Amino acid sequence: MVQFYDIREVSSESLSINLENGVVEKPKYDFSKSKGFRVLKSGFWGLFFGNVEDKVGLGLAEKNIVGEGDAEVIGIKSEGKFVFKPKINPKDVDIEEKIKLLKDIENVLKDSKIVSTRIAYLENVRKFFYKDSNGSKAYYEVPRIGIIIHAFAKDKTLQFYSKRLLKVAGFEVFDDEPFELAEEVKNVLNKLVNAKTPPSGEMNVIMDSSLAGVFIHEAFGHAVEADHVLKNSSVVADKLNAKVADESVNVYDDPNIQEFGFYPFDDEGVKAEKKAIIENGILKSFLHSKETAAKLNGKAGNARAQGVDEPLVRMSNTYIDEGEYEFDELLEDAEIYLVGSRGGETNPATGYFHFNAQYGYIVENGEISEMVRDVSLSGNTLKILHSIKVGKGIKFDPGFCGKAGQLVPVADGSPPSLVKAFVGGA
């Protein structure tokens, strides 16, 4: 007997344009539409993907059930419709105007030290329809748009720097901000090419909003995804309702914020809801799908998928809430100030992480001094959260998060924060 089934229908329409060193690559338009079918029977999932009638798709998914298992889902019914209407629909903007925007941004980057540039434009509309055997029916349309700026510069060293503007919105987001970001890229690279290498050792570090956001997403957020918890590959698997951070620390995941990780319903049709992960230093909840929620008595709403792939437990807009410290107060105790992230490695099972910052500054006597390049940050997540000092002023950084071969849009947020961690060369 079938325990549960659901059907997802997803269409995605996108346009991308790249301008590399003044040359426009051929604009790429993509349109895809597909259906995903899941059937749960005898505790085992059967999956089928394809544009077929519902009855046919469910039958094919059921045929793919090849055994018995312990899977179950919570009984939840969701209904609703959400259509995000941008102020300026990108479809109403000529492609020539989009290319002109890229060229105007590139003009800001022109400088004797900059040797290579690449500016990417992207727009996408995702239309999502969901129904299941519990009577759920959910639909949404969400547009995403953005600019990504990459540049290399050379003097004493060759250095790379990038900035991005990615939003749930329409063409109206392109006012002054892309040009301000390009100006920042140029100015930072002018200094970075002649910056010194950093000191090394354990020290008091200010992470800017971007780096602190990456820290809470990568080093902690993946550890509270309930599928990792069930596999016992999370450093906080046994710490629900226990203290995992200083009492000043509050961490949330909120898909309702209209940042890049926004969604009105997750890919199991569950209405989006703000989740308290840490409150006053106490681990309050994990992030769940319908299946992990049933196994761990949690709340579903964080199942996400690329296209109609199998939904996985994922973050949305994950952030450290505002603290009490002014930036100048953080500087008083700091030895180095690190800005941005160029990726790194984390292990949710052990809590250890290693990130590369985009650049940094030495801090002397509470004042920012010389710039440093090729700098890394590493440490233990829980140790850092227990001693962190959280500043004021949250900023979000958008991007795409990968898991099991799937990419989904997310945003990470945080105020500047002071931690004790290991600093070294990248």
Side-chain angles (χ1 to χ4, degrees):
M1 181 179 172
V2 171
Q3 296 168 250
F4 173 80
Y5 70 78
D6 65 11
I7 302 167
R8 290 169 295 135
E9 186 170 344
V10 178
S11 73
S12 176
E13 187 174 8
S14 62
L15 173 70
S16 61
I17 309 170
N18 291 309
L19 178 70
E20 185 164 5
N21 297 323
V23 178
V24 179
E25 295 179 3
K26 187 176 181 181
K28 184 179 179 183
Y29 172 81
D30 282 311
F31 178 80
S32 64
K33 185 175 183 179
S34 190
K35 296 170 79 171
F37 302 86
R38 296 193 304 173
V39 173
L40 180 61
K41 184 178 178 181
S42 302
F44 202 96
W45 287 103
L47 309 175
F48 176 77
F49 309 104
N51 289 313
V52 297
E53 294 294 328
D54 291 354
K55 187 176 180 180
V56 174
L58 290 172
L60 290 168
E62 188 173 353
K63 281 184 179 179
N64 288 330
I65 296 172
V66 294
E68 295 184 358
D70 63 355
E72 55 182 316
V73 295
I74 58 168
I76 184 172
K77 180 179 177 180
S78 304
E79 292 182 290
K81 180 179 181 179
F82 179 91
V83 177
F84 188 107
K85 293 184 178 179
K87 293 178 183 176
I88 303 175
N89 190 331
K91 285 186 175 181
D92 297 334
V93 179
D94 290 339
I95 197 164
E96 289 80 7
E97 186 173 343
K98 295 167 184 175
I99 292 171
K100 182 179 183 300
L101 172 67
L102 300 186
K103 290 183 174 180
D104 289 344
I105 294 169
E106 185 188 56
N107 284 333
V108 176
L109 292 170
K110 287 182 178 176
D111 181 89
S112 59
K113 290 186 174 67
I114 291 181
V115 295
S116 178
T117 62
R118 183 181 179 88
I119 304 160
Y121 169 91
L122 60 90
E123 66 184 49
N124 172 268
V125 177
R126 189 180 201 243
K127 297 180 181 179
F128 172 85
F129 175 72
Y130 176 92
K131 62 182 177 181
D132 66 22
S133 54
N134 291 327
S136 297
K137 280 191 176 182
Y139 177 82
Y140 72 71
E141 296 179 20
V142 172
R144 285 182 168 85
I145 195 165
I147 292 282
I148 303 173
I149 302 168
H150 301 280
F152 284 89
K154 188 175 182 181
D155 199 332
K156 288 182 179 178
T157 62
L158 178 68
Q159 294 291 322
F160 167 79
Y161 188 51
S162 68
K163 294 294 290 184
R164 54 198 173 193
L165 169 63
L166 300 169
K167 292 285 187 181
V168 173
F171 207 79
E172 68 274 1
V173 299
F174 300 134
D175 45 21
D176 297 329
E177 191 170 354
F179 304 99
E180 293 167 359
L181 293 178
E183 195 71 42
E184 178 185 339
V185 169
K186 180 174 67 176
N187 293 339
V188 167
L189 279 174
N190 260 291
K191 299 172 185 175
L192 195 56
V193 288
N194 296 314
K196 296 181 178 180
T197 54
S200 61
E202 189 176 29
M203 59 188 73
N204 290 333
V205 182
I206 296 178
M207 301 186 291
D208 82 323
S209 291
S210 176
L211 183 57
V214 168
F215 163 77
I216 205 62
H217 175 105
E218 295 287 354
F220 187 78
H222 284 297
V224 297
E225 292 172 338
D227 51 351
H228 287 151
V229 174
L230 286 167
K231 293 172 185 173
N232 205 28
S233 58
S234 166
V235 70
V236 294
D238 60 348
K239 291 181 168 53
L240 196 62
N241 298 315
K243 189 178 182 194
V244 295
D246 183 81
E247 63 185 18
S248 66
V249 176
N250 298 285
V251 177
Y252 300 95
D253 184 89
D254 190 357
N256 288 305
I257 300 173
Q258 286 183 359
E259 291 290 340
F260 204 53
F262 168 83
Y263 56 81
F265 301 93
D266 78 347
D267 280 66
E268 291 183 320
V270 180
K271 189 172 176 58
E273 186 179 335
K274 180 180 179 180
K275 304 283 182 14
I277 301 173
I278 298 176
E279 282 193 328
N280 303 320
I282 306 297
L283 181 62
K284 290 291 188 179
S285 67
F286 301 123
L287 301 179
H288 287 284
S289 64
K290 286 180 177 177
E291 181 178 349
T292 66
K295 291 181 176 178
L296 295 173
N297 193 30
K299 261 192 170 180
N302 280 83
R304 305 184 65 191
Q306 180 176 341
V308 293
D309 285 348
E310 183 180 7
L312 307 171
V313 182
R314 309 298 297 271
M315 287 171 271
S316 61
N317 302 308
T318 311
Y319 64 98
I320 303 175
D321 207 0
E322 193 168 65
E324 61 181 31
Y325 292 93
E326 300 289 348
F327 188 71
D328 287 347
E329 293 178 289
L330 299 178
L331 280 174
E332 289 174 7
D333 295 324
E335 296 166 83
I336 193 167
Y337 169 44
L338 300 185
V339 179
S341 170
R342 290 191 289 119
E345 297 176 329
T346 63
N347 188 332
T350 63
Y352 284 94
F353 69 88
H354 180 97
F355 297 138
N356 297 320
Q358 290 195 305
Y359 62 96
Y361 296 97
I362 302 298
V363 179
E364 296 177 337
N365 301 317
E367 299 286 338
I368 293 174
S369 61
E370 61 183 338
M371 181 184 276
V372 291
R373 60 176 169 83
D374 303 330
V375 56
S376 67
L377 181 74
S378 59
N380 178 274
T381 305
L382 295 184
K383 184 179 177 182
I384 281 176
L385 284 173
H386 275 290
S387 62
I388 193 171
K389 290 183 177 179
V390 183
K392 295 181 178 180
I394 299 173
K395 290 183 181 177
F396 282 89
D397 201 28
F400 293 91
C401 177
K403 183 176 179 179
Q406 297 187 42
L407 289 175
V408 295
V410 297
D412 318 320
S414 176
S417 299
L418 181 73
V419 300
K420 196 169 191 70
F422 289 93
V423 173

